[in-house]
């Protein structure tokens, strides 16, 4: 399966350590696309591939359509932690959804963990899967008070957690909590093996196939998949938020997260998984790749299109230098995730799109766990099986109190940009100010343009209006991409969509000579 001549492509310029692992199916796929598939899954990350495998194992005929390649999105850029405690903490879940819900969330996390471990065993997947201890630690009085409530609520929810004398990293701390039975793995080795199992069972995966539209007639969904008409009874969007402007465009906020893969001068690599409680937070773990250990350290997360990505990398570098003897930084990469308005992901049937369309989004920084859980919930719904978590994570849940503050904050931000982007107009004398390798949105002769000057000084111009819902994109210097802060759409320098929800590219504009 390994092919050193190529790497797995990703929606990012910066290479993650996982990308050396590439997907080559053991046998040719019989791509019979005529007739009506039982389920089409859009997106070949952990959510899409696991869902496809579960359904195909149950005898359904599934097709996976992926705009890039397997692991092109967040799965190729995750830091690959497997946790049963989440970015939305148990006290937050308890206070917003109740104690029973907190216990259900804990059960669902344990179930997701068991699914991953069972699939690793069943398919004998060599994906560096390891059980680890997790350490959450506080550095000041306020954090210690919070950590005390996290410990109590986690235990109440049924999670094995206790006070610890160590935090496993050389960062001074006030209090630390140890969570047992956490884990880590190599995400692409894992989903590549699942994808092969899916194909062995007769499943079809089409890479480089962008789904540009869908329509439903007489209960059958017809997709335009890179010019191919594909019909299906069920449709799963495993793409973060679904395409088009839906309620989910306003219920999930896109964030970017930054990670370094660091070689140390000494051997003080952590043995477990550690997390501080700062905002934005930092996390630490170790991964060995081709015989070399790397400290995987991440954080400095911020909302997509806000903050300076290069500054985020610089902050992370100075943070790691504060605590470790750094030999070299072998990897630095970033990826995107979605924060749900009320703290819990949206998984399952998307009622507004009819009975046969399913979504899975708002995983926060816990995508490997919630992606796996989504596969179980959605495949159970399609197969007509009961699932204890369907209502808890339902995309159409009503939670008027839960997360109200966040909901208002995230929506206020989106709404502000909708207005400011359309009617604002700061005149910039842009082209002359642009440095080589720099991009900027500027107003030129009354028209807003996304301008980019390449290393030879050649300027290209795009219409900066995001083709999803009309927000204005901004330049991401670290990734050399145009990012939309409203719902996380991203485009390359030529305006081509890198990640949805937009389905159309940014239009190129001829500059006046
Ligand atoms: Fe929604 Fe840009 S307006 S991603």
């Amino acid at each position: 399966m390994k092919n050193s001549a190529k790497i797995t492509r990703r929606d990012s310029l910066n290479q993650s350590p996982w990308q050396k692992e590439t997907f080559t199916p053991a046998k040719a796929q019989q791509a019979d696309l005529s007739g009506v598939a039982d389920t089409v899954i859009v997106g070949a990350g952990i959510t899409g591939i696991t869902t496809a495998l579960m359904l195909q194992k149950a005898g359904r005929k599934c097709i996976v359509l992926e705009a890039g390649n397997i692991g092109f999105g967040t799965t190729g850029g995750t830091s690959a932690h497997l946790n049963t405690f989440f970015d939305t903490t148990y006290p937050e879940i308890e206070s917003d959804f109740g104690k029973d819900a907190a216990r259900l969330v804990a059960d669902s996390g344990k179930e997701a963990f068991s699914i991953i471990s069972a699939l690793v065993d069943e398919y004998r997947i060599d994906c560096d899967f390891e059980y680890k201890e997790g350490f959450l630690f506080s550095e000041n009085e306020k954090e210690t008070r919070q950590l005390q409530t996290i410990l109590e609520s986690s235990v109440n929810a049924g999670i094995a957690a206790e006070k610890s004398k160590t935090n496993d990293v050389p960062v001074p701390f006030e209090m630390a909590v140890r969570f047992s039975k956490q884990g880590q793995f190599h995400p692409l080795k894992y989903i590549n093996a699942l994808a092969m199992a899916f194909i062995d069972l007769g499943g079809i995966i089409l890479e480089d196939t962008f789904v540009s539209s869908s329509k439903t007639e007489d209960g059958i969904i017809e997709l335009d998949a890179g010019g191919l008409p594909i019909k299906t009874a069920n449709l799963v969007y495993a793409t973060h938020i679904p395409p088009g402007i839906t309620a989910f465009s306003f219920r999930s906020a896109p964030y970017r997260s930054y990670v370094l893969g660091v070689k140390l001068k000494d051997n003080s690599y952590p043995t477990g998984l550690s997390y501080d409680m700062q905002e934005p937070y930092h996390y630490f773990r170790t991964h060995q790749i081709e015989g070399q250990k790397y400290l995987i350290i991440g954080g400095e997360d911020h909302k997509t299109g806000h903050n300076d990505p290069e500054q985020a990398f610089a902050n992370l570098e100075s943070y790691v230098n504060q605590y470790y003897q750094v030999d070299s930084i072998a990897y630095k990469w970033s990826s995107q995730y979605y924060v749900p308005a009320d703290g819990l992901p949206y998984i399952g049937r998307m009622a507004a799109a009819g009975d046969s369309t399913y979504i899975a989004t708002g995983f926060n920084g816990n995508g490997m766990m919630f992606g796996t859980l989504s596969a179980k919930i959605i495949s159970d719904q399609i197969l007509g099986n009961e699932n204890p978590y369907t209502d808890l994570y339902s995309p159409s849940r009503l939670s008027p109190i839960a997360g109200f503050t966040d909901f208002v904050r995230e929506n206020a931000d989106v709404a502000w940009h909708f207005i400011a982007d359309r009617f604002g107009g700061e005149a910039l004398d842009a082209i002359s100010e642009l440095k080589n390798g720099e991009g900027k949105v500027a107003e030129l002769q009354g028209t807003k343009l996304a301008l980019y000057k390449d290393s030879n000084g050649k300027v290209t111009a795009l219409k900066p209006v995001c083709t999803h819902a009309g927000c204005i994109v901004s330049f991401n210097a670290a990734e050399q991409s145009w990012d939309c802060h409203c719902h996380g759409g991203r485009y390359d320098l030529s305006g081509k969509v890198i990640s949805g929800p937009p389905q159309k590219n940014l239009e190129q504009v001829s500059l006046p000579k």
Side-chain angles (χ1 to χ4, degrees), residues 358-413:
Y358 300 81
I359 61 162
T361 187
F363 295 166
N364 229 319
N366 308 110
M368 299 298 99
M369 303 304 288
F370 286 126
T372 304
L373 183 68
S374 300
K376 179 68 177 142
I377 292 173
I378 292 173
S379 59
D380 276 345
Q381 281 188 299
I382 291 174
L383 295 168
N385 298 335
E386 289 282 313
N387 184 296
Y389 314 116
T390 306
D391 292 344
L392 176 68
Y393 296 115
S394 168
S396 34
R397 67 177 174 260
L398 288 173
S399 50
I401 297 168
F404 181 71
T405 317
D406 282 349
F407 182 81
V408 170
R409 181 165 53 77
E410 299 298 358
N411 274 284
D413 186 50

Side-chain angles (χ1 to χ4, degrees), residues 21 64 121 161 189 271 372 417 457 463:
E21 206 60 38
V64 177
D121 283 348
K189 284 184 180 176
T271 55
T372 304
H417 280 295
K463 273 197 184 162

Side-chain angles (χ1 to χ4, degrees), residues 241 245 249 338 418 466-473 484-491 499-502:
I241 52 180
I245 302 171
S249 309
Y338 284 80
F418 263 77
C466 179
T467 60
H468 175 231
C471 290
I472 297 294
V473 297
C484 180
H485 42 70
C486 281
H487 317 107
R490 298 181 60 233
Y491 305 85
S499 34

